Amino acid sequence: MKLRIFELFDLILLMSMVLLITIGVVFIYSSSVNSAGISVSQEYIRQIVFGSAGLILMAVAAIFDYRKLVKQAPKLFIGMVLVLLYTGLFGKVVNGARSWLGLGNLGVQPSEFAKIVYIFFLAWYFERTDKVSDRKRFITSLFIMGVPLMLILLQPDLGTASVYIPIFLIMCFMAGIPSRYLFMVILTGILTVVCTVLPVWESEILQRSVPILKVLTNQRLRFVIIAAAGTITLIGIIGYMLFKSRYYYWIAYCFGITTVALIMSIAAGKVLKPYQIQRLIIFIDPESDPLGAGWNIIQSKIAIGSGNMLGQGFLQGIQSHLRFLPQQSTDFIFSILSEEWGFVGGCVVFVLYLVILFRIISIIKTTKHLFGYYVASGILAMFFFHFIVNVGMVMGIMPITGIPLVFLSYGGSSLWTGMICIGILMSINFHQQSEFVFS
C-alpha cells in the first residue's frame, strides 16, 4: 500500500498538543519574569527547542509502524531495566533524586522514557497470553510493573514511580483481569501509604502518642503483627486449596493485603526521603508547616484563588512574579496560568486535555490490532494520571508528588515522552488493517 504521509497525522491530536505546548511556553516565560519585569531565565527558549525537536520525534513515531516493535518488546524492556539500574547507581542527583543521565546542564530522565517501553512490554505480554489463566497473567504482570517501579523508587523518585501503577491497573482492566485482583493492588497501595505516613504524622503534626499507632511505631510489635497476619494468610490459602471455600479465600485476601502493606511500609520508610513523606503529611494539614513543607500548596491555592474568572492578566500575577511559588515552571505551571488567565484559562486547558483523552478513547474503540489496543490504553492511563494528579496537586486535593503537567510543564524528558506517545497513537490509528480479536 502506498504510504499516504498526510493521513498519518491526526489533526485533532496534533492541534490539541501544539496548543498545549504553546500555552506552556507562554507561561514558562511568564514564570521567568520577576517583579521588575525582567526575564531571569532562558527556560522558555529551551522549551521551544525541546518542542521543535519533539515534533520530529513525534513524526518519526507516527510514520514508523508500531507493530514492528512487538517482537522487540522483551529486548527493549531488558534494556530499560539496565538503564534504570545504571541511572540509580551513577546518575546525576537533581531535586534529591538520582534520576538523570547527562553532562552539565544537559540531561535526560530515563524513567520518563521508560514509561513507553513499559507500556509496550506489558501490551506484548497481554497480547501473547490471551488464553492464560487470569491469576497467572496478573501475577506476571505485577512482576513486570514491580521491576521498574522498585528501581525508580530507589532513586528515589516517588512521583514518576507512581505513574506506573495506574498504567498497570488500566491495562490489566482492558486485558480482562478480574476486578478483585485490581482492588487488591489499590487497597495494598492505600494501606501502605497510610502505614508509612501515620508514624510521621504522629510525631510531626500531632506531637503526642496515640496508643493504637504503636503497631506502626514499635518495630517489635509491628513484626509480631506481620508474622500473625502472614500466618493467617497462609492458613487461608491452605484452607482454600483443601476445601475450595470462599470463606478461606477472603481470609487470605484480606490478611494478605495487610501483611504486604505492613512490609512495604517498612521498606517505604527506609527508601523514601523525609521530605517525600512530609509531602504526604502536608496534604492532610498544609497549615501544620506553613513556612516549610506546606508553603508550596498554600501559595498555589492563593494564586489559583486570586485568578477569579478572567485572571489578573498576562505577566500580572503576584504569586509568581514575587517568587512565592517554588518550581513554578514545572510542577506548579497550572497555578501561574490560573492566576493570570483565571477560571476561563483553566477551562481552556481542561478542554484541550479532554479532547486528547476522548480522541485516545476513540482510537482504542476503533483499532483492529490487540497490541495497539493495549498500548493506547496504557498511554490513556498515563496522560490521565499526569493531568488529574498535577491539577489536583496545585488545587490542594492531591498530595504533592512532583508529577509534571504533560505538554505544559518545563522539561525535555517529559515533553518528549508525551510527544512520542502522541506519535504512537497516530501510528495505531493509521495502521488498522490487521484483525482485532478479543479473548
Side-chain angles (χ1 to χ4, degrees):
M1 182 185 67
K2 186 177 179 181
L3 181 64
R4 301 181 300 277
I5 190 68
F6 293 107
E7 292 184 13
L8 279 169
F9 301 105
D10 188 305
L11 289 180
I12 296 176
L13 286 175
L14 181 62
M15 294 307 299
S16 299
M17 180 195 72
V18 169
L19 285 172
L20 284 171
I21 294 173
T22 303
I23 293 172
V25 170
V26 167
F27 283 98
I28 290 169
Y29 170 76
S30 177
S31 72
S32 73
V33 176
N34 61 21
S35 57
I38 301 172
S39 177
V40 295
S41 170
Q42 300 298 309
E43 286 183 341
Y44 69 98
I45 295 177
R46 290 196 287 269
Q47 189 74 352
I48 293 173
V49 175
F50 292 149
S52 301
L55 286 173
I56 298 174
L57 294 174
M58 183 211 71
V60 171
I63 294 170
F64 186 79
D65 187 348
Y66 74 99
R67 295 173 297 182
K68 294 180 179 180
L69 292 176
V70 174
K71 294 181 179 179
Q72 305 303 319
K75 296 177 183 178
L76 292 173
F77 185 76
I78 293 171
M80 175 201 75
V81 170
L82 294 176
V83 171
L84 289 177
L85 185 60
Y86 179 85
T87 304
L89 293 173
F90 307 108
K92 294 195 303 179
V93 177
V94 178
N95 295 328
R98 191 179 298 277
S99 56
W100 291 79
L101 293 178
L103 297 173
N105 293 326
L106 298 176
V108 295
Q109 191 175 0
S111 55
E112 285 288 342
F113 299 103
K115 297 172 191 172
I116 302 174
V117 178
Y118 166 65
I119 290 171
F120 268 76
F121 185 64
L122 202 54
W124 169 84
Y125 174 74
F126 281 139
E127 182 191 37
R128 71 190 298 269
T129 58
D130 200 38
K131 304 301 181 182
V132 177
S133 69
D134 290 331
R135 185 179 304 170
K136 184 177 180 180
R137 295 179 89 201
F138 172 72
I139 293 173
T140 305
S141 60
L142 195 62
F143 176 77
I144 292 172
M145 175 189 69
V147 172
L149 185 70
M150 292 308 299
L151 289 174
I152 295 170
L153 281 175
L154 289 172
Q155 294 179 357
D157 187 351
L158 178 62
T160 303
S162 65
V163 181
Y164 285 68
I165 299 174
I167 292 173
F168 167 79
L169 292 173
I170 294 300
M171 291 184 70
C172 281
F173 176 79
M174 302 301 277
I177 300 296
S179 58
R180 64 181 182 276
Y181 293 141
L182 305 184
F183 277 112
M184 183 188 299
V185 175
I186 296 171
L187 293 174
T188 301
I190 293 173
L191 190 57
T192 299
V193 171
V194 170
C195 292
T196 303
V197 167
L198 282 180
V200 184
W201 172 78
E202 180 190 57
S203 60
E204 299 294 331
I205 296 181
L206 197 61
Q207 297 183 345
R208 63 181 176 85
S209 179
V210 178
I212 196 173
L213 292 185
K214 287 185 178 180
V215 175
L216 302 175
T217 56
N218 186 309
Q219 292 301 320
R220 180 176 296 180
L221 182 57
R222 180 184 284 198
F223 282 119
V224 170
I225 298 297
I226 290 174
T231 302
I232 295 173
T233 302
L234 183 60
I235 292 172
I237 293 172
I238 294 172
Y240 179 72
M241 291 175 65
L242 292 175
F243 305 107
K244 302 299 180 183
S245 170
R246 303 298 290 178
Y247 172 77
Y248 288 104
Y249 176 89
W250 289 110
I251 287 178
Y253 186 92
C254 295
F255 281 92
I257 289 174
T258 303
T259 304
V260 173
L262 287 172
I263 294 173
M264 289 179 63
S265 67
I266 295 175
K270 301 292 184 182
V271 172
L272 297 180
K273 301 289 186 181
Y275 76 89
Q276 291 174 316
I277 299 177
Q278 191 72 17
R279 284 176 173 179
L280 298 175
I281 296 172
I282 290 303
F283 168 63
I284 301 172
D285 183 12
E287 297 296 337
S288 63
D289 188 13
L291 298 179
W295 175 266
N296 289 11
I297 189 61
I298 292 172
Q299 298 305 316
S300 175
K301 290 164 73 174
I302 292 173
I304 293 173
S306 65
N308 294 314
M309 182 61 69
L310 298 176
Q312 302 288 335
F314 183 59
L315 300 181
Q316 301 302 312
I318 297 174
Q319 300 298 112
S320 59
H321 300 307
L322 291 180
R323 291 297 184 267
F324 288 148
L325 275 173
Q327 299 177 336
Q328 52 190 24
S329 65
T330 53
D331 297 349
F332 290 89
I333 190 75
F334 189 78
S335 304
I336 301 176
L337 183 147
S338 296
E339 183 181 30
E340 298 188 359
W341 278 8
F343 178 77
V344 172
C347 285
V348 170
V349 171
F350 270 64
V351 168
L352 290 173
Y353 272 107
L354 286 175
V355 168
I356 291 176
L357 294 176
F358 279 111
R359 183 61 186 139
I360 298 174
I361 292 173
S362 175
I363 291 172
I364 292 171
K365 287 181 176 180
T366 57
T367 184
K368 299 180 177 67
H369 195 248
L370 193 57
F371 180 72
Y373 172 82
Y374 290 137
V375 169
S377 300
I379 294 173
L380 173 68
M382 184 184 76
F383 282 168
F384 177 76
F385 188 76
H386 268 273
F387 172 70
I388 205 72
V389 171
N390 181 275
V391 173
M393 177 183 74
V394 301
M395 291 181 178
I397 58 177
M398 288 280 188
I400 297 176
T401 54
I403 293 178
L405 188 55
V406 182
F407 304 129
L408 263 75
S409 294
Y410 170 74
S413 296
S414 173
L415 181 61
W416 286 347
T417 299
M419 297 181 79
I420 290 171
C421 285
I422 291 293
I424 293 170
L425 289 168
M426 291 179 181
S427 179
I428 293 172
N429 188 46
F430 183 76
H431 298 97
Q432 296 188 32
Q433 288 78 30
S434 57
E435 186 179 2
F436 183 28
V437 181
F438 283 107
S439 60

